[in-house]
Amino acid sequence: MARVRPTQPQNNGAGMKRLFIPRVLIVGIGLIGGSFACALKAAGVVGEVVGYSRRTTTLARALELGIIDRAETSIVDALADVDLVMLAAPIGSTRALLEAMKPALNGKTIVTDAGSVKGSVIEDVQQIFGRVPEWFVPGHPIAGAEKSGVEAADAKLYQDHKVILTPHGNTSAAALDLVCAAWRATGAEILLMDANHHDRVLAATSHLPHLLAFSLVDTLAKENENQEIFRYAAGGFRDFTRIASSDPTMWHDIFVANRDSVLGALDHFSRGLEAMRRAVEAQDSQALLGIMTRAKVARDHFTKMLAKRAYSHSMKAHNVTYTVQPGGSMNGTLRVPGDKSISHRSIMLGALADGITEVSGFLEGEDSLATLQTFRDMGVVIEGPNEGRVRIFGVGLRGLRAAPGALYLGNSGTSMRLLSGLLAGQAFDSTLTGDESLSHRPMGRVAKPLLQMGAVIATEPSGTPPIRITGRQRLRGIHYDMPMASAQVKSCVLLAGLYAEGETSVTEPAPTRDHTERMLRGFGYTVKTEGSTISLTGGGSLKATQIDVPADISSAAFFMVAASICPGADITLQHVGINPTRIGVINILRAMGGNIELSNEREVGGEPVADIRVCYAALKGIHIPEDQVPLAIDEFPALFIAAACAQGETVLTGAEELRVKESDRIQVMADGLNTLGVDAKPTPDGIIIRGGIIGGGEVYSHSDHRIAMSFTIAALRANDVIVIQDCANVMTSFPTFVSLATAAGIRLSVERHG
Ligand code: S3P
């Protein structure tokens, strides 16, 4: 095996041996092979780099540029005493090269390659050696440029790029380790994959786009008026066809070597293109917009992923820290973003309606965007959001299509619970997944009534996501006595009830937000509310409508508390939703002595709204009435800050639900308040907070948006700096929080890491 010996000093602090490869041979010194050599040299992990090429001019230039240390024109001489060979010649020449190398390979030299097709290379190796030898490690760096040749070699080419290795069952661990270590030294990230899978993926993502670019340029270049075409070809043509300047020999070899997968990708693409052609021919705007909005969203998402900004499953969100200076002020007139609960429901019902629903004031936060994306995934055309405006081309109650994969709902419990009900009635299967926090939240509470309705739905044994729903079930209406006051469970059952035979009814132990009922009525669906029981009958239809989403009282709550605790404060919050099932925060703050005035009360699209003026007031501690708990369920983290600034003790009971929100809000708030020197004692179903002086310190939001924002406003009354960790999720519900908070007078600065 190759000599991989540690160099001196071994000082990476982790006790790991530093890589050193005495001799590397590069076969084919173009962009790929040359860059590999340069990167190994730059990392100081190679002794001598030998270069082999059939062209003496290439060798001479590579020597001149310092890419190689020694040039060889005989492959057998080149292989003498080499530890690692990188085969980086066009893949059409692989078989002949291996044939020539065979007599000089002694089993100790490790060979890897950089070919864009793995199946054909493995086949070549098998042909020459009778089997895949243990020293062969098939590989493919996903990096390159339309430039080629030795001049294009770049030591940084692989930095932060992916390299796919497709080790064969025979490949030895030592060989794989060495190749991995070498690639890592170039700055690349390594992925292991099956060779066939690699070839199919690359056919779609790399080979097909190259083929299309070559074909488009050739087609246009053959036109008589090609001069004209190229003269007027602007950005679009340039961007789309950049890769048509790539090396024709190399791409010829790739298309031939990966023939079957390339044809598969091309046929699939042709069907998509044909569908688009038909849409243009028929002037079918809905089909065209559908294709293009889905493509745009996918491309935007990809752009963010490239910039490592994506909020996505596979990507750890950037860590965000808030640093808040003590003091500050709270003044002005502001409009917080749209209501999250109503935004979710506007997409869901708009998608299920017949006709086009227009929404304004939509919350462009990650939670409601997760719902929006889900419906796009299920084939609904949705334009926007564009400054809060969204147009949803409803597909009717039976018009959703199976999504291509699992539906990823990020941090959003509301999306997952409401969608469970809605999807239980569909004619296809669905899987619902979420982020770390959502993956720990209880879903048995929705699975239980749905199972009673005849749905086939499964959670993990712990009752947590993923949720797997088997479609094509006949749902029957049930009466469900909810064991807990939860608008999400109520809404889930009612949405499933749209698909059930007969009447579905829900009785709630205490009033919870009734946006689902109100909005269903707005879409022309009959929903009865008799006392605490809400019912509807399945089999109807929804008629598209217009929805004006009021500002979210749950976001306004941070500023209501902020103004209440900040001497001299006077703020007006405009157009805030004051649905009676949501105004617990106003009732509780008033009971504590808060100075809150409502004006301009009106009804917008079935929801009451008002402007809310809040001025500073000396607050006093109270025992919070338990009937207010469901009406202020999301506002307690902010209210705990009010309690910390109040005179005397504030006691909360009957609020065990807070323990299963985006975080355990009782424990996390108690921990943070204690860090800041406030006397806060968690109890199983609430908390006891004694008002007093708030100090400074470092607190953790546990990725819970409402915890992060609550500690931000606490700084208005703190006597030292408050640093809040894990604030990225503020984007789930309140994307403009930082700018509104600073405009109003909070001394907040934001730092992003990672
Ligand atoms: C919501 C209901 C509440 C609330 C959540 C949004 C809704 O949850 O906490 O932020 O939109 O229906 P529960 O129903 O679980 O109490």
Side-chain angles (χ1 to χ4, degrees), residues 452-485:
Q452 286 176 21
M453 294 176 83
V456 176
I457 176 167
T459 62
E460 291 294 286
S462 48
T464 51
I467 296 182
R468 293 188 175 81
I469 298 169
T470 307
R472 296 168 298 280
Q473 310 299 325
R474 275 173 75 132
L475 302 187
R476 29 178 204 279
I478 56 162
H479 173 72
Y480 191 61
D481 260 315
M482 284 202 300
M484 76 284 285

PDB file of all heavy atoms in Angstrom, residues 452-485:
ATOM      1  N   GLN A 452     -59.935   7.972  14.238  1.00  0.00           N
ATOM      2  CA  GLN A 452     -61.365   7.707  14.508  1.00  0.00           C
ATOM      3  C   GLN A 452     -62.224   7.985  13.267  1.00  0.00           C
ATOM      4  O   GLN A 452     -63.266   7.386  13.068  1.00  0.00           O
ATOM      5  CB  GLN A 452     -61.860   8.579  15.654  1.00  0.00           C
ATOM      6  CG  GLN A 452     -61.367   8.110  17.009  1.00  0.00           C
ATOM      7  CD  GLN A 452     -61.796   9.054  18.142  1.00  0.00           C
ATOM      8  OE1 GLN A 452     -62.739   9.822  18.007  1.00  0.00           O
ATOM      9  NE2 GLN A 452     -61.087   9.001  19.245  1.00  0.00           N
ATOM     10  N   MET A 453     -61.774   8.894  12.444  1.00  0.00           N
ATOM     11  CA  MET A 453     -62.538   9.234  11.227  1.00  0.00           C
ATOM     12  C   MET A 453     -62.293   8.224  10.103  1.00  0.00           C
ATOM     13  O   MET A 453     -62.876   8.336   9.033  1.00  0.00           O
ATOM     14  CB  MET A 453     -62.154  10.639  10.737  1.00  0.00           C
ATOM     15  CG  MET A 453     -62.559  11.732  11.704  1.00  0.00           C
ATOM     16  SD  MET A 453     -62.003  13.367  11.155  1.00  0.00           S
ATOM     17  CE  MET A 453     -63.329  13.777   9.996  1.00  0.00           C
ATOM     18  N   GLY A 454     -61.363   7.300  10.345  1.00  0.00           N
ATOM     19  CA  GLY A 454     -61.079   6.287   9.325  1.00  0.00           C
ATOM     20  C   GLY A 454     -59.826   6.582   8.522  1.00  0.00           C
ATOM     21  O   GLY A 454     -59.537   5.897   7.535  1.00  0.00           O
ATOM     22  N   ALA A 455     -59.069   7.596   8.936  1.00  0.00           N
ATOM     23  CA  ALA A 455     -57.827   7.906   8.224  1.00  0.00           C
ATOM     24  C   ALA A 455     -56.769   6.865   8.550  1.00  0.00           C
ATOM     25  O   ALA A 455     -56.835   6.216   9.604  1.00  0.00           O
ATOM     26  CB  ALA A 455     -57.324   9.283   8.644  1.00  0.00           C
ATOM     27  N   VAL A 456     -55.817   6.714   7.640  1.00  0.00           N
ATOM     28  CA  VAL A 456     -54.666   5.856   7.929  1.00  0.00           C
ATOM     29  C   VAL A 456     -53.481   6.796   8.084  1.00  0.00           C
ATOM     30  O   VAL A 456     -53.021   7.415   7.117  1.00  0.00           O
ATOM     31  CB  VAL A 456     -54.447   4.816   6.816  1.00  0.00           C
ATOM     32  CG1 VAL A 456     -53.198   4.003   7.090  1.00  0.00           C
ATOM     33  CG2 VAL A 456     -55.660   3.910   6.729  1.00  0.00           C
ATOM     34  N   ILE A 457     -53.036   6.945   9.309  1.00  0.00           N
ATOM     35  CA  ILE A 457     -52.018   7.948   9.626  1.00  0.00           C
ATOM     36  C   ILE A 457     -51.108   7.398  10.707  1.00  0.00           C
ATOM     37  O   ILE A 457     -51.577   6.766  11.648  1.00  0.00           O
ATOM     38  CB  ILE A 457     -52.697   9.278  10.063  1.00  0.00           C
ATOM     39  CG1 ILE A 457     -51.662  10.321  10.509  1.00  0.00           C
ATOM     40  CG2 ILE A 457     -53.742   9.082  11.155  1.00  0.00           C
ATOM     41  CD1 ILE A 457     -52.240  11.721  10.649  1.00  0.00           C
ATOM     42  N   ALA A 458     -49.811   7.606  10.555  1.00  0.00           N
ATOM     43  CA  ALA A 458     -48.871   7.080  11.548  1.00  0.00           C
ATOM     44  C   ALA A 458     -47.845   8.139  11.896  1.00  0.00           C
ATOM     45  O   ALA A 458     -47.398   8.901  11.030  1.00  0.00           O
ATOM     46  CB  ALA A 458     -48.169   5.847  10.996  1.00  0.00           C
ATOM     47  N   THR A 459     -47.501   8.178  13.178  1.00  0.00           N
ATOM     48  CA  THR A 459     -46.387   9.020  13.627  1.00  0.00           C
ATOM     49  C   THR A 459     -45.266   8.068  14.042  1.00  0.00           C
ATOM     50  O   THR A 459     -45.420   6.852  13.956  1.00  0.00           O
ATOM     51  CB  THR A 459     -46.795   9.844  14.860  1.00  0.00           C
ATOM     52  OG1 THR A 459     -47.113   8.917  15.911  1.00  0.00           O
ATOM     53  CG2 THR A 459     -48.001  10.721  14.582  1.00  0.00           C
ATOM     54  N   GLU A 460     -44.198   8.608  14.543  1.00  0.00           N
ATOM     55  CA  GLU A 460     -43.167   7.774  15.167  1.00  0.00           C
ATOM     56  C   GLU A 460     -43.770   7.182  16.445  1.00  0.00           C
ATOM     57  O   GLU A 460     -44.755   7.720  16.965  1.00  0.00           O
ATOM     58  CB  GLU A 460     -41.955   8.637  15.535  1.00  0.00           C
ATOM     59  CG  GLU A 460     -41.187   9.154  14.344  1.00  0.00           C
ATOM     60  CD  GLU A 460     -40.517   8.030  13.575  1.00  0.00           C
ATOM     61  OE1 GLU A 460     -39.510   7.497  14.066  1.00  0.00           O
ATOM     62  OE2 GLU A 460     -41.010   7.683  12.485  1.00  0.00           O
ATOM     63  N   PRO A 461     -43.168   6.125  16.995  1.00  0.00           N
ATOM     64  CA  PRO A 461     -43.720   5.557  18.236  1.00  0.00           C
ATOM     65  C   PRO A 461     -43.844   6.601  19.351  1.00  0.00           C
ATOM     66  O   PRO A 461     -44.726   6.530  20.190  1.00  0.00           O
ATOM     67  CB  PRO A 461     -42.703   4.475  18.617  1.00  0.00           C
ATOM     68  CG  PRO A 461     -42.025   4.133  17.329  1.00  0.00           C
ATOM     69  CD  PRO A 461     -42.041   5.361  16.469  1.00  0.00           C
ATOM     70  N   SER A 462     -42.969   7.618  19.325  1.00  0.00           N
ATOM     71  CA  SER A 462     -43.035   8.665  20.353  1.00  0.00           C
ATOM     72  C   SER A 462     -44.156   9.670  20.079  1.00  0.00           C
ATOM     73  O   SER A 462     -44.293  10.652  20.800  1.00  0.00           O
ATOM     74  CB  SER A 462     -41.694   9.392  20.383  1.00  0.00           C
ATOM     75  OG  SER A 462     -41.330   9.734  19.053  1.00  0.00           O
ATOM     76  N   GLY A 463     -44.937   9.430  19.024  1.00  0.00           N
ATOM     77  CA  GLY A 463     -46.033  10.357  18.712  1.00  0.00           C
ATOM     78  C   GLY A 463     -45.558  11.609  18.000  1.00  0.00           C
ATOM     79  O   GLY A 463     -46.303  12.583  17.869  1.00  0.00           O
ATOM     80  N   THR A 464     -44.328  11.595  17.525  1.00  0.00           N
ATOM     81  CA  THR A 464     -43.748  12.784  16.891  1.00  0.00           C
ATOM     82  C   THR A 464     -43.605  12.562  15.376  1.00  0.00           C
ATOM     83  O   THR A 464     -43.759  11.443  14.895  1.00  0.00           O
ATOM     84  CB  THR A 464     -42.358  13.066  17.512  1.00  0.00           C
ATOM     85  OG1 THR A 464     -41.608  11.846  17.472  1.00  0.00           O
ATOM     86  CG2 THR A 464     -42.470  13.527  18.954  1.00  0.00           C
ATOM     87  N   PRO A 465     -43.311  13.650  14.635  1.00  0.00           N
ATOM     88  CA  PRO A 465     -43.106  13.501  13.187  1.00  0.00           C
ATOM     89  C   PRO A 465     -41.902  12.601  12.891  1.00  0.00           C
ATOM     90  O   PRO A 465     -41.082  12.389  13.778  1.00  0.00           O
ATOM     91  CB  PRO A 465     -42.824  14.937  12.727  1.00  0.00           C
ATOM     92  CG  PRO A 465     -43.357  15.807  13.819  1.00  0.00           C
ATOM     93  CD  PRO A 465     -43.191  15.024  15.082  1.00  0.00           C
ATOM     94  N   PRO A 466     -41.717  12.132  11.664  1.00  0.00           N
ATOM     95  CA  PRO A 466     -42.590  12.354  10.503  1.00  0.00           C
ATOM     96  C   PRO A 466     -43.977  11.727  10.656  1.00  0.00           C
ATOM     97  O   PRO A 466     -44.132  10.712  11.325  1.00  0.00           O
ATOM     98  CB  PRO A 466     -41.844  11.685   9.352  1.00  0.00           C
ATOM     99  CG  PRO A 466     -40.577  11.145   9.884  1.00  0.00           C
ATOM    100  CD  PRO A 466     -40.517  11.361  11.331  1.00  0.00           C
ATOM    101  N   ILE A 467     -44.931  12.358   9.948  1.00  0.00           N
ATOM    102  CA  ILE A 467     -46.287  11.812   9.886  1.00  0.00           C
ATOM    103  C   ILE A 467     -46.444  11.175   8.510  1.00  0.00           C
ATOM    104  O   ILE A 467     -46.116  11.798   7.496  1.00  0.00           O
ATOM    105  CB  ILE A 467     -47.332  12.934  10.073  1.00  0.00           C
ATOM    106  CG1 ILE A 467     -47.205  13.545  11.467  1.00  0.00           C
ATOM    107  CG2 ILE A 467     -48.731  12.400   9.831  1.00  0.00           C
ATOM    108  CD1 ILE A 467     -48.237  14.617  11.755  1.00  0.00           C
ATOM    109  N   ARG A 468     -46.937   9.939   8.496  1.00  0.00           N
ATOM    110  CA  ARG A 468     -47.166   9.259   7.213  1.00  0.00           C
ATOM    111  C   ARG A 468     -48.647   9.012   7.045  1.00  0.00           C
ATOM    112  O   ARG A 468     -49.270   8.398   7.911  1.00  0.00           O
ATOM    113  CB  ARG A 468     -46.393   7.938   7.166  1.00  0.00           C
ATOM    114  CG  ARG A 468     -44.904   8.171   7.150  1.00  0.00           C
ATOM    115  CD  ARG A 468     -44.086   6.914   6.918  1.00  0.00           C
ATOM    116  NE  ARG A 468     -42.684   7.306   6.802  1.00  0.00           N
ATOM    117  CZ  ARG A 468     -41.891   7.554   7.839  1.00  0.00           C
ATOM    118  NH1 ARG A 468     -42.359   7.418   9.063  1.00  0.00           N
ATOM    119  NH2 ARG A 468     -40.633   7.929   7.671  1.00  0.00           N
ATOM    120  N   ILE A 469     -49.179   9.515   5.947  1.00  0.00           N
ATOM    121  CA  ILE A 469     -50.622   9.405   5.712  1.00  0.00           C
ATOM    122  C   ILE A 469     -50.844   8.568   4.448  1.00  0.00           C
ATOM    123  O   ILE A 469     -50.232   8.836   3.412  1.00  0.00           O
ATOM    124  CB  ILE A 469     -51.238  10.810   5.520  1.00  0.00           C
ATOM    125  CG1 ILE A 469     -51.050  11.631   6.807  1.00  0.00           C
ATOM    126  CG2 ILE A 469     -52.719  10.715   5.152  1.00  0.00           C
ATOM    127  CD1 ILE A 469     -51.376  13.095   6.653  1.00  0.00           C
ATOM    128  N   THR A 470     -51.680   7.562   4.579  1.00  0.00           N
ATOM    129  CA  THR A 470     -52.040   6.773   3.397  1.00  0.00           C
ATOM    130  C   THR A 470     -53.381   7.293   2.891  1.00  0.00           C
ATOM    131  O   THR A 470     -54.361   7.314   3.646  1.00  0.00           O
ATOM    132  CB  THR A 470     -52.152   5.278   3.780  1.00  0.00           C
ATOM    133  OG1 THR A 470     -50.937   4.916   4.439  1.00  0.00           O
ATOM    134  CG2 THR A 470     -52.333   4.412   2.546  1.00  0.00           C
ATOM    135  N   GLY A 471     -53.393   7.731   1.645  1.00  0.00           N
ATOM    136  CA  GLY A 471     -54.608   8.334   1.082  1.00  0.00           C
ATOM    137  C   GLY A 471     -55.629   7.283   0.657  1.00  0.00           C
ATOM    138  O   GLY A 471     -55.527   6.104   1.017  1.00  0.00           O
ATOM    139  N   ARG A 472     -56.621   7.730  -0.086  1.00  0.00           N
ATOM    140  CA  ARG A 472     -57.680   6.871  -0.637  1.00  0.00           C
ATOM    141  C   ARG A 472     -58.520   6.204   0.444  1.00  0.00           C
ATOM    142  O   ARG A 472     -58.963   5.076   0.296  1.00  0.00           O
ATOM    143  CB  ARG A 472     -57.091   5.776  -1.555  1.00  0.00           C
ATOM    144  CG  ARG A 472     -56.402   6.294  -2.804  1.00  0.00           C
ATOM    145  CD  ARG A 472     -55.606   5.225  -3.494  1.00  0.00           C
ATOM    146  NE  ARG A 472     -54.542   4.710  -2.656  1.00  0.00           N
ATOM    147  CZ  ARG A 472     -53.370   5.314  -2.474  1.00  0.00           C
ATOM    148  NH1 ARG A 472     -53.100   6.434  -3.099  1.00  0.00           N
ATOM    149  NH2 ARG A 472     -52.458   4.792  -1.682  1.00  0.00           N
ATOM    150  N   GLN A 473     -58.728   6.880   1.581  1.00  0.00           N
ATOM    151  CA  GLN A 473     -59.569   6.294   2.627  1.00  0.00           C
ATOM    152  C   GLN A 473     -60.931   6.992   2.600  1.00  0.00           C
ATOM    153  O   GLN A 473     -61.023   8.156   2.224  1.00  0.00           O
ATOM    154  CB  GLN A 473     -58.930   6.505   4.015  1.00  0.00           C
ATOM    155  CG  GLN A 473     -57.483   6.096   4.104  1.00  0.00           C
ATOM    156  CD  GLN A 473     -57.268   4.621   3.805  1.00  0.00           C
ATOM    157  OE1 GLN A 473     -58.102   3.788   4.137  1.00  0.00           O
ATOM    158  NE2 GLN A 473     -56.156   4.304   3.148  1.00  0.00           N
ATOM    159  N   ARG A 474     -61.962   6.272   2.994  1.00  0.00           N
ATOM    160  CA  ARG A 474     -63.280   6.917   3.140  1.00  0.00           C
ATOM    161  C   ARG A 474     -63.365   7.436   4.560  1.00  0.00           C
ATOM    162  O   ARG A 474     -63.400   6.653   5.515  1.00  0.00           O
ATOM    163  CB  ARG A 474     -64.376   5.886   2.928  1.00  0.00           C
ATOM    164  CG  ARG A 474     -64.708   5.700   1.465  1.00  0.00           C
ATOM    165  CD  ARG A 474     -65.667   4.563   1.350  1.00  0.00           C
ATOM    166  NE  ARG A 474     -66.993   5.004   1.781  1.00  0.00           N
ATOM    167  CZ  ARG A 474     -68.082   4.770   1.075  1.00  0.00           C
ATOM    168  NH1 ARG A 474     -67.992   4.138  -0.059  1.00  0.00           N
ATOM    169  NH2 ARG A 474     -69.265   5.170   1.507  1.00  0.00           N
ATOM    170  N   LEU A 475     -63.376   8.739   4.698  1.00  0.00           N
ATOM    171  CA  LEU A 475     -63.464   9.308   6.048  1.00  0.00           C
ATOM    172  C   LEU A 475     -64.930   9.419   6.438  1.00  0.00           C
ATOM    173  O   LEU A 475     -65.790   9.690   5.597  1.00  0.00           O
ATOM    174  CB  LEU A 475     -62.814  10.690   6.084  1.00  0.00           C
ATOM    175  CG  LEU A 475     -61.340  10.785   5.669  1.00  0.00           C
ATOM    176  CD1 LEU A 475     -60.808  12.182   5.938  1.00  0.00           C
ATOM    177  CD2 LEU A 475     -60.484   9.752   6.400  1.00  0.00           C
ATOM    178  N   ARG A 476     -65.215   9.214   7.728  1.00  0.00           N
ATOM    179  CA  ARG A 476     -66.593   9.426   8.199  1.00  0.00           C
ATOM    180  C   ARG A 476     -66.574  10.523   9.264  1.00  0.00           C
ATOM    181  O   ARG A 476     -65.611  10.648  10.041  1.00  0.00           O
ATOM    182  CB  ARG A 476     -67.230   8.150   8.745  1.00  0.00           C
ATOM    183  CG  ARG A 476     -66.280   7.194   9.333  1.00  0.00           C
ATOM    184  CD  ARG A 476     -66.858   5.955   9.909  1.00  0.00           C
ATOM    185  NE  ARG A 476     -65.876   5.492  10.888  1.00  0.00           N
ATOM    186  CZ  ARG A 476     -64.791   4.802  10.551  1.00  0.00           C
ATOM    187  NH1 ARG A 476     -64.572   4.451   9.307  1.00  0.00           N
ATOM    188  NH2 ARG A 476     -63.913   4.459  11.481  1.00  0.00           N
ATOM    189  N   GLY A 477     -67.658  11.293   9.266  1.00  0.00           N
ATOM    190  CA  GLY A 477     -67.776  12.378  10.245  1.00  0.00           C
ATOM    191  C   GLY A 477     -67.847  11.802  11.657  1.00  0.00           C
ATOM    192  O   GLY A 477     -68.387  10.722  11.863  1.00  0.00           O
ATOM    193  N   ILE A 478     -67.224  12.501  12.604  1.00  0.00           N
ATOM    194  CA  ILE A 478     -67.280  12.051  14.007  1.00  0.00           C
ATOM    195  C   ILE A 478     -67.623  13.259  14.871  1.00  0.00           C
ATOM    196  O   ILE A 478     -67.545  14.403  14.410  1.00  0.00           O
ATOM    197  CB  ILE A 478     -65.916  11.502  14.506  1.00  0.00           C
ATOM    198  CG1 ILE A 478     -64.795  12.555  14.314  1.00  0.00           C
ATOM    199  CG2 ILE A 478     -65.566  10.185  13.838  1.00  0.00           C
ATOM    200  CD1 ILE A 478     -63.553  12.269  15.145  1.00  0.00           C
ATOM    201  N   HIS A 479     -67.948  12.968  16.108  1.00  0.00           N
ATOM    202  CA  HIS A 479     -67.960  14.063  17.072  1.00  0.00           C
ATOM    203  C   HIS A 479     -66.716  13.902  17.928  1.00  0.00           C
ATOM    204  O   HIS A 479     -66.455  12.818  18.453  1.00  0.00           O
ATOM    205  CB  HIS A 479     -69.209  14.035  17.957  1.00  0.00           C
ATOM    206  CG  HIS A 479     -69.078  15.080  19.020  1.00  0.00           C
ATOM    207  ND1 HIS A 479     -69.175  16.424  18.725  1.00  0.00           N
ATOM    208  CD2 HIS A 479     -68.746  14.996  20.329  1.00  0.00           C
ATOM    209  CE1 HIS A 479     -68.926  17.114  19.826  1.00  0.00           C
ATOM    210  NE2 HIS A 479     -68.660  16.284  20.809  1.00  0.00           N
ATOM    211  N   TYR A 480     -65.961  14.959  18.056  1.00  0.00           N
ATOM    212  CA  TYR A 480     -64.726  14.852  18.836  1.00  0.00           C
ATOM    213  C   TYR A 480     -64.741  15.846  19.992  1.00  0.00           C
ATOM    214  O   TYR A 480     -64.885  17.051  19.791  1.00  0.00           O
ATOM    215  CB  TYR A 480     -63.511  15.116  17.932  1.00  0.00           C
ATOM    216  CG  TYR A 480     -62.208  14.764  18.606  1.00  0.00           C
ATOM    217  CD1 TYR A 480     -61.970  13.454  19.024  1.00  0.00           C
ATOM    218  CD2 TYR A 480     -61.226  15.714  18.829  1.00  0.00           C
ATOM    219  CE1 TYR A 480     -60.789  13.107  19.656  1.00  0.00           C
ATOM    220  CE2 TYR A 480     -60.027  15.373  19.460  1.00  0.00           C
ATOM    221  CZ  TYR A 480     -59.819  14.069  19.873  1.00  0.00           C
ATOM    222  OH  TYR A 480     -58.654  13.724  20.497  1.00  0.00           O
ATOM    223  N   ASP A 481     -64.600  15.279  21.206  1.00  0.00           N
ATOM    224  CA  ASP A 481     -64.478  16.107  22.408  1.00  0.00           C
ATOM    225  C   ASP A 481     -63.006  16.342  22.634  1.00  0.00           C
ATOM    226  O   ASP A 481     -62.297  15.427  23.046  1.00  0.00           O
ATOM    227  CB  ASP A 481     -65.039  15.346  23.623  1.00  0.00           C
ATOM    228  CG  ASP A 481     -66.442  15.801  23.951  1.00  0.00           C
ATOM    229  OD1 ASP A 481     -66.673  17.027  23.953  1.00  0.00           O
ATOM    230  OD2 ASP A 481     -67.298  14.916  24.180  1.00  0.00           O
ATOM    231  N   MET A 482     -62.546  17.546  22.377  1.00  0.00           N
ATOM    232  CA  MET A 482     -61.093  17.768  22.446  1.00  0.00           C
ATOM    233  C   MET A 482     -60.600  17.722  23.887  1.00  0.00           C
ATOM    234  O   MET A 482     -61.151  18.408  24.744  1.00  0.00           O
ATOM    235  CB  MET A 482     -60.749  19.136  21.852  1.00  0.00           C
ATOM    236  CG  MET A 482     -60.792  19.141  20.346  1.00  0.00           C
ATOM    237  SD  MET A 482     -59.801  20.473  19.683  1.00  0.00           S
ATOM    238  CE  MET A 482     -60.564  21.887  20.371  1.00  0.00           C
ATOM    239  N   PRO A 483     -59.544  16.925  24.131  1.00  0.00           N
ATOM    240  CA  PRO A 483     -59.025  16.862  25.495  1.00  0.00           C
ATOM    241  C   PRO A 483     -58.261  18.125  25.883  1.00  0.00           C
ATOM    242  O   PRO A 483     -58.050  18.390  27.064  1.00  0.00           O
ATOM    243  CB  PRO A 483     -58.094  15.652  25.464  1.00  0.00           C
ATOM    244  CG  PRO A 483     -57.738  15.455  24.028  1.00  0.00           C
ATOM    245  CD  PRO A 483     -58.852  16.014  23.214  1.00  0.00           C
ATOM    246  N   MET A 484     -57.800  18.901  24.912  1.00  0.00           N
ATOM    247  CA  MET A 484     -57.064  20.137  25.232  1.00  0.00           C
ATOM    248  C   MET A 484     -57.618  21.271  24.361  1.00  0.00           C
ATOM    249  O   MET A 484     -58.207  21.015  23.308  1.00  0.00           O
ATOM    250  CB  MET A 484     -55.556  19.955  25.000  1.00  0.00           C
ATOM    251  CG  MET A 484     -55.069  19.977  23.569  1.00  0.00           C
ATOM    252  SD  MET A 484     -55.378  18.489  22.627  1.00  0.00           S
ATOM    253  CE  MET A 484     -54.160  17.388  23.270  1.00  0.00           C
ATOM    254  N   ALA A 485     -57.432  22.503  24.839  1.00  0.00           N
ATOM    255  CA  ALA A 485     -57.895  23.654  24.059  1.00  0.00           C
ATOM    256  C   ALA A 485     -56.853  23.922  22.981  1.00  0.00           C
ATOM    257  O   ALA A 485     -55.802  24.495  23.261  1.00  0.00           O
ATOM    258  CB  ALA A 485     -58.057  24.867  24.971  1.00  0.00           C
TER     259      ALA A 485
END
